[in-house]
Amino acid sequence: MSAVAAMRLPEHINLSGFIGLLQRLQVPHRVAEEAGEQVLWVPNEPLAEQVRELYERYPQGNAEAVQGLTPESATAAPSLIQQLKSSPMTAIVLLLTFIAAAITLLGDNLATVSWLSFIDFRVQGEYIYFGNVNDTLASGQWWRLLTPMLIHFGILHLAMNTLWYWELGRRIEAREGRWMLLGLTLLFSLAANVAQYLHAGPSLFGGLSGVLYGLLGHCWIFQRLAPNTAYRLPPGVLIMMLAWLLICMTGIFELLQFGAIANAAHVGGLLAGCLTGLLGGALARRPR
C-alpha cells in the first residue's frame, strides 16, 4: 500500500508533542526531512485526513482524549472505493485501458485495433499493410503517438500490465499528484512508442509495459536522490523487472514462438523514467 504525505511543515516547527500524541494513539507514521521540510507520512489517505484534522485541534499534542481516531481505525485497510477515490488519475487510466481492451477484443478485432495503433494499417488476406508515419501525422492523427499503450493482446498481457500500473501509479499520484502522474504516463508512452517504431519500423505493438518501465525508472532514481517512503520499492521488485527486461531482449520468447516482445519500448520507457526521476529527485533535494 502506498504511503501518503499527511503534512508538510517547515523545519523550525517543533513536532515532538504531536508525534508523542500519535504514538499514544498507536497511529502508524514516519517523519522525514525532505527539501527543508518535515514530512509526516502515514499508510493511507483516510488516515492522513484524520491526522490533519487532529493537528488542527491539538498541534502541541496536549489532548487527554481524542474522539474519532483509534488504533483500530488507524490501522484498518481502506476499501477499494476509498483507494479509487484517493487515486483518481490511476483509476481513469486503467478504466480507459479496460475500455480499449473491450472494444478491441483484447487485440483480436483488428478493425478497432487500427484506430489506436501507432500507424494505420489494413488487413488483406493473411497480410497486414501499414501506412506511412508521415502521412499518418500529416492527416492530423496525432493521438497515435500515445494510444498504443491502451492496446493489449490477451488477458494475461492486460492483467499483468494493469496490476503493475495500479501499484506504481498510485505511488506517484500520492507523492507528486494526479497531474504529474498523467504527464509522466503520456511522456513515457510517447518515448516507448517512438523508440519501438525507430527500432522495428512499421509494426503492430502495444501495451502499458513501456509506461510501466518509465514509472519504475522514475521511482528508482527519484528515491536514490531524495529518499521517501512512497517510492521505496522492495529490492526484489527492481531486480525482477530489470531481469525480465534482459531476458526478453535475448529473443527467447520469439524463439519459443510466444510472440514478439516490444523490447525497444521497454528500454525507451525506462530511459525516459530515469531522466524524469533524476530531474525530480534533484529538485526535491533543493531547499525551498
Side-chain angles (χ1 to χ4, degrees), residues 15-94:
L15 280 177
S16 59
F18 185 69
I19 295 302
L21 175 59
L22 295 181
Q23 291 173 344
R24 293 197 299 275
L25 289 169
Q26 302 178 30
V27 176
H29 67 279
R30 176 178 175 271
V31 179
E33 292 186 5
E34 299 179 13
E37 293 181 323
Q38 300 177 87
V39 184
L40 177 63
W41 296 92
V42 295
N44 53 65
E45 182 59 35
L47 180 57
E49 294 179 1
Q50 291 181 315
V51 168
R52 286 190 284 266
E53 294 176 1
L54 181 64
Y55 183 75
E56 291 179 1
R57 296 165 57 191
Y58 306 105
Q60 305 303 321
N62 53 2
E64 296 297 331
V66 178
Q67 301 295 325
L69 185 64
T70 65
E72 291 75 16
S73 65
T75 57
S79 66
L80 177 60
I81 298 300
Q82 290 175 322
Q83 294 182 60
L84 291 172
K85 287 182 178 180
S86 64
S87 305
M89 190 58 69
T90 304
I92 289 172
V93 172
L94 292 178

Side-chain angles (χ1 to χ4, degrees), residues 169-243:
R170 286 187 304 150
R171 290 174 180 266
I172 292 177
E173 188 166 1
R175 178 66 175 79
E176 298 184 75
R178 66 189 65 174
W179 298 115
M180 177 61 75
L181 172 62
L182 177 61
L184 291 176
T185 297
L186 298 179
L187 174 63
F188 299 154
S189 178
L190 176 63
N193 296 334
V194 170
Q196 183 62 29
Y197 175 78
L198 293 177
H199 174 74
S203 58
L204 183 56
F205 59 87
L208 273 171
S209 51
V211 174
L212 296 180
Y213 273 102
L215 300 180
L216 178 71
H218 181 82
C219 293
W220 174 28
I221 302 300
F222 194 113
Q223 164 69 14
R224 296 296 298 270
L225 295 177
N228 62 89
T229 305
Y231 291 174
R232 184 176 299 136
L233 298 170
V237 169
L238 180 62
I239 294 173
M240 181 193 69
M241 292 288 283
L242 295 179

